[in-house]
Amino acid sequence: LHFQRAAHKHPDRPFLRFEGRSIGYGEANAIVNRYASVLSARGVERGGVVGIMMKNRPETLFVILAAVKLGAAAGLLNHNQRGEVLAHSLGLLDATVLVVGAECVDGLATLTDQPDSLPAEELEREAADADDADPAVCREITGRETAFLIFTSGTTGYPKASVMSHMRWSKGMVGLGSLGVRLRGDDTLYCCLPLYHNNAVTVALGAVLNGGAC
């Protein structure tokens, strides 16, 4: 909802810059809504999970925000995982839909049992003509509901999926965004972390949304 409000408040302000491409808040919101329409048609509902195995690029962020807008948890998989470790993580997510980027299919190839997956490129194609209206459920989501499932590093055993609620995300957004990073609307934050990292989505993205920055 924070992203949606920011998009309606300043639709023409840059939201994302990537490899020379600039995407405004309004344009990004419409793309995210189209992604959400496709995910919803594939069975993603409030309280569900969307598994995401993609490297850093705009489409990854769009899938994350689309899942969150639907009231589902964005299950952010470490795309460096392989074999038994990856299988363990996928089992913990039990995702309704698993979105996999073409750059990450080599990881799936290490699994004994191949999971059903939605190629990110197919999602993008289907979203091209999908409904771009804000999902009605977005305004009904409460702070206690899960926004992200973020995996630990697994240094003491198999990775665990830590739960990041909308409330924790909001607190980080306001606390770290307002008191720590303190971005302004004309600022640009460079995110050097992979998007499956907690600090990337809670601190970096949170600070950007709090300040209406890029």
Side-chain angles (χ1 to χ4, degrees):
L1 187 57
H2 296 287
F3 166 69
Q4 187 167 291
R5 286 173 176 167
H8 287 295
K9 185 176 181 180
H10 33 68
D12 297 325
R13 185 177 295 178
F15 167 65
L16 180 66
R17 292 191 176 100
F18 182 78
E19 296 183 348
R21 179 186 178 193
S22 179
I23 303 171
Y25 272 86
E27 180 185 357
N29 187 55
I31 295 171
V32 168
N33 289 343
R34 291 196 290 268
Y35 275 45
S37 295
V38 175
L39 293 175
S40 179
R42 286 178 173 264
V44 175
E45 298 178 341
R46 186 176 181 180
V49 176
V50 176
I52 303 168
M53 190 172 175
M54 302 170 65
K55 293 186 179 181
N56 282 26
R57 51 190 173 105
E59 294 78 16
T60 308
L61 199 56
F62 297 155
V63 180
I64 292 172
L65 290 170
V68 171
K69 272 200 174 204
L70 291 173
L76 302 171
L77 289 158
N78 181 338
H79 50 71
N80 296 301
Q81 293 180 0
R82 297 291 185 273
E84 292 182 2
V85 177
L86 177 57
H88 170 79
S89 297
L90 288 169
L92 289 180
L93 287 184
D94 190 24
T96 305
V97 173
L98 171 62
V99 182
V100 180
E103 70 278 12
C104 297
V105 293
D106 58 331
L108 291 185
T110 66
L111 298 174
T112 301
D113 298 317
Q114 292 296 305
D116 292 332
S117 61
L118 171 61
E121 293 68 28
E122 182 177 335
L123 170 58
E124 186 176 5
R125 287 194 299 271
E126 291 187 13
D129 299 319
D131 184 9
D132 65 357
D134 293 325
V137 69
C138 185
R139 295 184 175 277
E140 302 173 5
I141 299 168
T142 65
R144 292 184 178 181
E145 295 178 62
T146 302
F148 311 118
L149 292 171
I150 300 173
F151 285 90
T152 60
S153 61
T155 52
T156 58
Y158 280 131
K160 303 171 183 66
S162 61
V163 177
M164 181 63 64
S165 67
H166 283 268
M167 180 62 72
R168 292 181 68 188
W169 188 27
S170 296
K171 286 182 177 179
M173 190 179 300
V174 175
L176 294 170
S178 298
L179 302 178
V181 184
R182 292 183 289 181
L183 296 178
R184 300 185 303 270
D186 57 351
D187 284 331
T188 297
L189 174 66
Y190 171 64
C191 180
C192 60
L193 296 167
L195 290 174
Y196 61 73
H197 198 289
N198 197 15
N199 281 339
V201 291
T202 58
V203 178
L205 177 59
V208 164
L209 294 179
N210 179 75
C214 176

